[in-house]
Amino acid sequence: MAMLLRRFADQFELDYSTLFIEDDAVDHDIVPPASGGWLTATEQQVTVSSASGATSAPEALLEYWDGEPPQPGPDWASSSEALAWFSTGRLSIWRTIREHPLGHFELGGPGLYRVRAHTGDRHEIRQATDRVPPQHDEGAGTRSTREAERFLIRFWPAPPSDKRDMVEAPGGIYPEHSEHDVFAQAIRAIGTSDFAEAVERTERVNRGPDQHRT
């Protein structure tokens, strides 16, 4: 049976209805997801979109398990799952406007992870939000959505053989010995501090099969 190793819970004031969970190695601005799903995983980043509107304050519970966790209770009516890759496994939580992290959470180091997010009935949440009258703040109409939505976001290690979906990032699942696979191995070596080996592998990819070091 899988064991819960760590958890973190808080309520977050969001802008543009999106919660971003990023690896601490990321040093660029927040990149909004291109997918229409409410849970997305891209390079070094997981995003969860609220059904409560542009300005919301959902509660979020993050958990790290040593294996696939059991299903939660009936209150969590909606769920979505993805494959994520992180180069350090040390995560920070952000809103869209990147001012300061909302919190920190640590996994078990670099590698592939399954992430499964649970929430309530999103249709009911949207209907409840629509019934809340707008609150005007400096001329801009916003809605108070506190306590309208909760998220349970669970991570656990994914085996290298996990082929349930692709991850658009170094560390994703590529054909063995392909150029992408060699590059992914180099990136993983950087994440495990084997930097010299990573540089050599990357140089071999860049040189190609018909070029030799002089």
Side-chain angles (χ1 to χ4, degrees):
M1 179 180 295
M3 179 180 298
L4 175 64
L5 301 179
R6 277 184 288 280
R7 63 169 41 176
F8 173 83
D10 207 343
Q11 185 172 25
F12 303 104
E13 292 277 358
L14 300 184
D15 49 17
Y16 303 102
S17 72
T18 304
L19 185 71
F20 294 84
I21 305 170
E22 289 194 338
D23 195 281
D24 283 352
V26 174
D27 60 358
H28 54 69
D29 291 337
I30 291 290
V31 179
S35 169
W38 64 272
L39 171 72
T40 61
T42 57
E43 181 179 349
Q44 307 268 55
Q45 177 179 282
V46 169
T47 61
V48 178
S49 298
S50 169
S52 301
T55 304
S56 57
E59 294 179 355
L61 173 62
L62 277 68
E63 295 182 343
Y64 173 50
W65 292 69
D66 64 358
E68 183 171 358
Q71 291 296 320
D75 291 341
W76 305 98
S78 304
S79 65
S80 185
E81 186 173 328
L83 182 69
W85 178 83
F86 301 107
S87 62
T88 71
R90 296 185 299 273
L91 310 181
S92 291
I93 303 164
W94 303 86
R95 57 171 63 93
T96 305
I97 300 176
R98 189 175 179 135
E99 298 173 334
H100 56 80
L102 305 176
H104 301 279
F105 191 69
E106 189 163 344
L107 303 178
L112 288 166
Y113 290 89
R114 299 300 304 181
V115 54
R116 182 185 295 150
H118 302 269
T119 188
D121 188 309
R122 290 175 64 84
H123 178 67
E124 289 184 0
I125 292 169
R126 280 189 288 268
Q127 286 186 324
T129 302
D130 290 341
R131 290 194 294 267
V132 176
Q135 295 182 348
H136 294 276
D137 181 13
E138 298 181 358
T142 61
R143 295 182 185 272
S144 174
T145 56
R146 288 186 180 275
E147 302 179 5
E149 191 168 14
R150 295 182 302 147
F151 290 109
L152 172 61
I153 306 167
R154 289 170 156 178
F155 296 87
W156 67 94
S161 60
D162 193 332
K163 292 182 169 60
R164 281 179 283 179
D165 41 17
M166 299 290 286
V167 55
E168 296 178 1
I173 302 167
Y174 304 111
E176 188 175 7
H177 304 309
S178 69
E179 180 176 322
H180 290 296
D181 179 58
V182 173
F183 183 71
Q185 291 180 37
I187 295 297
R188 281 195 289 271
I190 291 176
T192 57
S193 301
D194 195 351
F195 186 75
E197 181 182 354
V199 170
E200 173 62 24
R201 288 180 179 176
T202 305
E203 288 179 348
R204 288 200 298 269
V205 172
N206 291 336
R207 287 198 304 269
D210 299 326
Q211 300 182 37
H212 301 279
R213 179 181 294 176
T214 57

